[in-house]
């Protein structure tokens, strides 16, 4: 049984602590200026340090305040999670590569391969550094999202998606956002939450979240580790199209791999330890019936 502290005050407290920690790292120290693709080492180090601190904060909160084993959030791993994670990585890379190259052929922007990519002696450490920063950030965000799902599951799917989406918007407001960016954050939050609920584990959502950020943040663009150089600004419609395609692919793949169980049914397995196994057993029983 998951221990509750004063209703949902724990959610608010954890969010406030996370926001404060992010703010203290990025702004008083002036590190926010390095949060971009132009400084791969600094980006990786800053985001890795911030992500590990956030991860430590969440873990400590769960263990000491909630008295809740971290594994209950969903740290199960099985073959389906591996298949989904690999599929999400490949689909994300191929989707954006094909889309950007098609825009290049249409004259909307310039997108070309960096022919000197593997000549850079610093390539591997820069990739590892930036990749680690993105991965740890995706991991702590999905762990936090999983905790929210467990705390809010008694409210039902719709309130859960609404509250976690609005919370995600507030958590990103520290970086500044407009209404379009806010809507996109809500959609992405709902997408990753759906993957988490269907799989019962944070790892598939972490993989989808990580590769999306890593692809658009560093692998494709104008940074030092970009193997596809992109030049030019995209009109809004051209920006929204790959996001819509990505969301559809991620959701459909989750449904294909994890089965047709409803979200309401999936909620019942949250906070029960090896939820990945519970989902698998439930799926097999459904097929037998």
């Amino acid at each position: 049984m998951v221990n509750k502290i004063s209703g949902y005050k724990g959610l608010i407290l954890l969010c406030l602590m996370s926001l404060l920690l992010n703010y203290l790292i990025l702004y008083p120290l002036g590190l926010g200026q390095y949060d971009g693709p132009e400084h791969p080492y600094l980006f990786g180090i800053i985001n890795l340090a911030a992500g590990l601190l956030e991860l430590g904060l969440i873990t400590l909160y769960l263990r000491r305040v909630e008295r809740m084993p971290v594994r209950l959030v969903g740290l199960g791993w099985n073959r389906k999670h591996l298949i989904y994670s690999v599929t999400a990585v490949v689909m994300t890379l191929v989707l954006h590569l094909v889309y950007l190259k098609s825009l290049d052929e249409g004259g909307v922007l310039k997108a070309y391969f960096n022919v000197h990519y593997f000549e850079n002696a610093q390539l591997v450490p820069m990739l590892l550094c930036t990749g680690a920063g993105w991965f740890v950030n995706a991991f702590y965000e999905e762990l936090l999202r999983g905790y929210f799902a467990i705390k809010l599951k008694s409210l039902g799917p719709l309130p859960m998606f609404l509250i976690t989406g609005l919370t995600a918007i507030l958590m990103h407001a520290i970086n500044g956002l407009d209404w379009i960016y806010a809507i996109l954050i809500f959609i992405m939050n709902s997408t990753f939450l759906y993957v988490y609920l269907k799989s019962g584990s944070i790892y598939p959502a972490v993989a989808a979240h990580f590769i999306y950020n890593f692809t658009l943040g560093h692998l494709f663009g104008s940074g030092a580790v970009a193997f596809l150089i992109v030049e030019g600004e995209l009109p809004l419609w051209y920006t929204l199209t790959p996001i819509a395609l990505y969301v559809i692919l991620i959701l459909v793949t989750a449904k294909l791999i994890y089965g047709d169980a409803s979200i309401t049914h999936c909620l019942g397995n949250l906070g029960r330890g090896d939820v990945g196994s519970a989902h698998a057993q439930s799926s097999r029983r459904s097929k037998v019936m």
Side-chain angles (χ1 to χ4, degrees):
M1 178 70 69
V2 177
N3 215 6
K4 289 187 177 181
I5 64 165
S6 304
Y8 303 110
K9 291 180 180 179
L11 299 179
I12 300 173
L13 176 62
L14 186 55
C15 285
L16 290 176
M17 290 191 297
S18 180
L19 274 172
L20 179 61
L21 182 58
N22 257 312
Y23 175 81
L24 291 175
I25 292 173
L26 294 178
Y27 294 101
L29 299 178
L31 299 179
Q33 61 181 313
Y34 303 112
D35 195 24
E38 301 83 9
H39 310 281
Y41 284 121
L42 286 173
F43 172 90
I45 293 171
I46 293 170
N47 279 272
L48 183 60
L52 288 174
L53 286 173
E54 291 279 6
L55 189 57
L57 172 65
I58 297 170
T59 302
L60 188 64
Y61 181 86
L62 292 177
R63 292 174 64 87
R64 298 300 182 184
V65 180
E66 282 283 356
R67 304 295 181 181
M68 172 184 177
V70 180
R71 63 178 177 79
L72 293 184
V73 179
L75 298 182
W77 180 257
N78 59 37
R79 187 173 61 181
K80 283 189 176 182
H81 300 337
L82 176 61
I83 293 173
Y84 183 89
S85 298
V86 172
T87 303
V89 169
V90 174
M91 283 194 313
T92 303
L93 290 170
V94 172
L95 168 65
H96 289 90
L97 177 61
V98 171
Y99 184 75
L100 289 171
K101 289 298 291 182
S102 67
L103 293 182
D104 174 62
E105 293 179 3
V108 178
L109 51 68
K110 289 184 178 180
Y112 54 92
F113 293 105
N114 183 355
V115 295
H116 303 293
Y117 192 66
F118 295 103
E119 297 175 9
N120 186 352
Q122 299 294 317
L123 177 62
V124 173
M126 285 193 298
L127 282 174
L128 290 175
C129 196
T130 53
W134 280 123
F135 181 83
V136 172
N137 272 269
F139 192 93
Y140 94 74
E141 286 189 19
E142 296 309 323
L143 185 65
L144 182 60
R145 203 177 337 266
Y147 168 66
F148 263 65
I150 291 175
K151 293 289 285 185
L152 298 172
K153 70 176 185 177
S154 61
L155 300 179
L158 186 58
M160 174 193 291
F161 276 88
L162 182 61
I163 294 173
T164 55
L166 294 176
T167 302
I169 292 173
L170 293 175
M171 296 288 284
H172 285 81
I174 190 173
N175 301 317
L177 49 81
D178 54 28
W179 67 271
I180 295 177
Y181 184 41
I183 292 174
L184 292 179
I185 290 175
F186 187 92
I187 292 173
M188 286 300 184
N189 172 85
S190 300
T191 300
F192 298 138
L193 179 56
Y194 177 87
V195 173
Y196 167 69
L197 294 175
K198 291 291 286 185
S199 66
S201 170
I202 69 169
Y203 292 117
V206 169
H209 190 164
F210 156 73
I211 194 58
Y212 182 82
N213 286 344
F214 194 25
T215 298
L216 298 185
H218 280 88
L219 296 182
F220 296 172
S222 59
V225 298
F227 71 85
L228 184 72
I229 306 297
V230 180
E231 297 178 355
E233 293 293 329
L234 281 176
L236 178 60
W237 172 252
Y238 288 104
T239 302
L240 296 179
T241 300
I243 295 175
L245 292 174
Y246 169 81
V247 169
I248 291 171
L249 287 173
I250 289 297
L251 296 179
V252 170
T253 303
K255 187 175 180 63
L256 290 175
I257 292 179
Y258 294 109
D260 296 326
S262 67
I263 293 300
T264 302
H265 176 78
C266 294
L267 287 179
N269 291 318
L270 291 184
R272 293 184 179 179
D274 190 1
V275 287
S277 297
H279 279 291
Q281 293 170 5
S282 173
S283 178
R284 284 197 293 270
R285 284 196 296 267
S286 298
K287 289 180 180 179
V288 171
M289 295 177 67

